[in-house]
Amino acid sequence: MITFSIVAHIDHGKSSLSQRLLEHCGNIDAAAAVGQDALDTLAVERERGITVKAVSASMVHDYEGQKYLVNLVDTPGHADFAHEVVRSLGACDGALLLVDAAQGVEAQTLKVADAARAAGVPLLAACSKVDLPTANAVDVALDVAARGLVEDPEAVLAVSAKSGLGVADVLDAVCGAFRPPADDGARRRPLRARVLDSRYDPRRGVVSVLRVVDGELREGDRVRFKSADGRSYGVQELGLLTPAQQRTKGLVAGCVGYVACGLRDVRDARVGDTLVADSEAGADAAPLPGGVAPSAPALYASVFPPDGAAFDDMAKAVERLAVNDASVSIAREPPRASLGLGLRLGFLGLLHLDVFRQRLRDEFAEDVLFTAPLVPYRVRWRDGTTTELATLDDWPSAEEQRAAVDAILEPSVTVDVAAPRDHLGAVLEVLENARGAQRSLDVDGDRAAVAYDAPWALVVDGLAEELAHATQGYASLSVRSSPTYVAADVVKVDVALNGVAVDALAFAAARGEAQRRGRAAAARLKAVVPRQLFEVVIQARVGTKSLARERLPPLRKDVLTTKAGKNVGGGDVTRKKKLLEKQKKGKAKQKTIGNVSLGQDALWAVVRSG
């Protein structure tokens, strides 16, 4: 039995190759699967055309006269879901590094290769999309070897998921290179299995994906999770993933499969935990080493139910979805006057936040309200202490900044950007506009690599997309280091409706960018805020200084027309003026007591104002 994962930069053909491998082994019908991706099962994945969850599938392959059970793990390529890659590598015997033969080695290619090395996982390299007219597999293979990703460039495979070229060679190479160390006693040892993933099923409770490391697991066994509170559960159903669930009633050491134990408390099946037998031997069994460390959130956003009374339902849905996405952190949010009770969630990036929001709606029918995200700023006070700004409500006022604040500290990271040499000028321009500071610049043939220190807020707010747009999609970005804090001129921008600041719409920006972003936010809000019977004035401001102003005119009603459709008659104009004045007073009263209903479209308009 062999477990391997496919890792690569985004859009280098991981899911397409995985589909072809499943077709080659007979797991899925090639004719029935035309136009579909068997491993992208989530609605958000099919709608956006991206992979956000690592998915396992077991195949049987003949190699040198023996049958091998090969467990494939298809991983995401976007940097916002790098935690899924790290989690998958921890359970693999090897990894197939896929490199686009037309694009070459990109920033995320090096990032996932470093993650494999850190996990102690051997690498096998392959050039994908070799049938494209612009493909140059030979040069890419030489580049892969020159960067130390493999030793021999001739060992780099050439594959095309579209034509099927080299698909069978991939499985042969995997079985030859990633043979796990022989351990005949593994099945006789007490049960230990690592939890790789979990999801909540309304009918069966929590369903976990795990890899059995020691012993055997069968239906009817009593098991428990090592880090839980000692409760035991009976195994109700288990089997292999092909990727459909195939019930086998038993799993042995080396197998990757699913298990349903009837758990209703999602906190008992955390990713990285160890499943053991509910016996004396299980109690003595040590947890499996090398668990997945919790990911550090890159940004935070607060989430609230549209109806304050529905907080418990929202909290339950968020907790159940977080079981399937272990990189999300959850904490209670202090009550807000305009939104009520909420949760503070940590994400790895804006795309991660947007996908989580869509999954809440698609899978749990929770159409919740997310506030503008905030990277973790800090305040250094003049007395030498430093505090972290958990939310924008904690941002020091203008008076506090003048009297007690020494500096606002902004998180900064080192990013690596890879691009063709012809696009180097565009890359440098984008990074300079992003308040970046150059660390290094290397040009090797037709490729250029740049390292810059840049504000973390701009990195998570679409810097990679901006680089791709400026270079026709050729530039790629990866983050090299964890954030460090530097002093920066950053301000809090409040967004007010009819003079009342809406805390959910506030955001932080560099002082030089505050006016541009404030104008963009006000303009976007004007387009999505519903018109009222009274005038709505939208303002963006820093303290008492107004940066932008937009006016949403009121809905008008012709009060001079009767129900029969006739105008108010009479030759005396004072009667008409009296009716118009009465309407004017009514609108003024409505403006003082009326509430503007804001949906997620309004809140998301501010998020994308950057």
Side-chain angles (χ1 to χ4, degrees), residues 58-414:
S58 298
M59 306 171 287
V60 177
H61 177 64
D62 291 323
Y63 176 67
E64 294 184 345
Q66 289 186 320
K67 290 186 179 296
Y68 283 79
L69 180 65
V70 181
N71 303 308
L72 161 69
V73 183
D74 179 33
T75 62
H78 198 283
D80 279 16
F81 307 104
H83 189 73
E84 291 286 316
V85 180
V86 175
R87 175 179 60 79
S88 302
L89 288 171
C92 291
D93 302 310
L96 176 66
L97 180 66
L98 211 57
V99 184
D100 192 318
Q103 300 288 341
V105 176
E106 301 198 62
Q108 192 65 13
T109 309
L110 302 175
K111 188 76 173 180
V112 294
D114 290 341
R117 291 195 188 98
V121 175
L123 280 176
L124 183 67
C127 288
S128 64
K129 306 181 183 180
V130 296
D131 57 331
L132 292 178
T134 56
N136 194 340
V138 175
D139 286 350
V140 171
L142 291 173
D143 190 24
V144 168
R147 294 175 181 270
L149 303 180
V150 295
E151 294 182 359
D152 184 6
E154 294 185 0
V156 178
L157 304 172
V159 298
S160 169
K162 183 178 180 180
S163 65
L165 174 67
V167 171
D169 296 336
V170 169
L171 290 174
D172 287 343
V174 165
C175 292
F178 299 150
R179 297 187 184 185
D183 188 355
D184 297 333
R187 296 189 183 184
R188 294 190 293 272
R189 288 197 287 265
L191 170 68
R192 290 195 304 172
R194 187 191 305 281
V195 179
L196 304 179
D197 196 11
S198 294
R199 64 177 179 84
Y200 185 81
D201 184 283
R203 182 174 60 88
R204 294 183 294 175
V206 178
V207 178
S208 298
V209 177
L210 47 80
R211 185 186 188 193
V212 180
V213 178
D214 294 325
E216 298 183 7
L217 181 63
R218 300 196 176 278
E219 290 185 3
D221 290 351
R222 300 292 299 182
V223 296
R224 59 187 179 87
F225 295 90
K226 200 70 178 174
S227 63
D229 58 2
R231 284 180 293 179
S232 65
Y233 304 92
V235 177
Q236 299 176 355
E237 181 183 341
L238 53 80
L240 296 174
L241 298 165
T242 64
Q245 294 181 354
Q246 298 292 331
R247 189 171 183 176
T248 60
K249 299 186 178 182
L251 296 174
V252 299
C255 287
V256 175
Y258 72 96
V259 60
C261 301
L263 277 78
R264 293 294 168 179
D265 190 346
V266 295
R267 293 169 294 185
D268 283 353
R270 294 297 183 186
V271 172
D273 200 359
T274 301
L275 184 77
V276 297
D278 184 34
S279 62
E280 185 175 345
D284 296 336
L288 289 169
V292 181
S295 59
L299 56 86
Y300 295 91
S302 299
V303 57
F304 300 88
D307 180 3
F311 172 78
D312 290 339
D313 293 336
M314 183 200 72
K316 186 179 296 184
V318 168
E319 190 174 46
R320 288 176 174 177
L321 182 55
V323 169
N324 191 237
D325 190 348
S327 56
V328 176
S329 66
I330 305 175
R332 287 289 289 264
E333 178 84 357
R336 296 196 185 183
S338 59
L339 296 171
L341 291 174
L343 297 173
R344 181 171 179 254
L345 307 183
F347 299 95
L348 300 182
L350 268 183
L351 178 62
H352 187 201
L353 185 158
D354 197 16
V355 166
F356 192 88
R357 178 179 67 90
Q358 185 171 340
R359 290 188 66 188
L360 273 177
R361 186 186 63 211
D362 294 344
E363 300 173 30
F364 294 91
E366 288 289 337
D367 197 9
V368 297
L369 298 176
F370 274 90
T371 64
L374 174 72
V375 297
Y377 291 95
R378 292 177 180 175
V379 177
R380 185 172 65 211
W381 305 93
R382 291 180 182 173
D383 61 4
T385 61
T386 301
T387 57
E388 185 168 307
L389 299 175
T391 69
L392 285 174
D393 291 343
D394 300 329
W395 199 276
S397 64
E399 293 77 11
E400 287 179 314
Q401 293 192 45
R402 286 192 295 266
V405 172
D406 179 48
I408 300 292
L409 304 180
E410 179 181 45
S412 176
V413 294
T414 301

Side-chain angles (χ1 to χ4, degrees), residues 433-582:
N433 291 337
R435 298 187 283 126
Q438 183 176 313
R439 294 183 66 124
S440 65
L441 171 61
D442 297 316
V443 179
D444 184 9
D446 294 333
R447 300 290 291 178
V450 184
Y452 258 72
D453 290 335
W456 183 233
L458 298 184
V459 174
V460 301
D461 195 19
L463 182 59
E465 289 80 0
E466 190 174 351
L467 284 166
H469 178 73
T471 60
Q472 289 80 51
Y474 284 103
S476 61
L477 176 146
S478 68
V479 179
R480 182 194 301 181
S481 63
S482 55
T484 57
Y485 284 83
V486 296
D489 191 9
V490 182
V491 296
K492 174 187 175 184
V493 180
D494 288 310
V495 178
L497 301 180
N498 288 338
V500 179
V502 182
D503 50 4
L505 298 180
F507 60 92
R511 191 179 297 275
E513 288 287 307
Q515 187 166 34
R516 181 188 65 82
R517 288 198 59 186
R519 287 176 176 174
R524 287 174 178 266
L525 278 173
K526 182 180 178 180
V528 298
V529 170
R531 291 178 65 184
Q532 311 292 320
L533 292 175
F534 50 88
E535 179 187 54
V536 177
V537 176
I538 304 169
Q539 285 181 301
R541 62 195 188 196
V542 174
T544 58
K545 179 183 177 182
S546 179
L547 303 178
R549 185 182 188 276
E550 295 285 349
R551 175 183 175 273
L552 196 63
L555 293 172
R556 294 191 177 276
K557 179 181 178 181
D558 190 356
V559 295
L560 303 183
T561 302
T562 63
K563 292 182 179 179
K566 297 180 181 180
N567 288 335
V568 174
D572 188 2
V573 72
T574 58
R575 184 179 181 190
K576 296 181 180 180
K577 288 184 177 180
K578 182 179 179 180
L579 289 172
L580 291 173
E581 188 65 24
K582 182 179 179 182

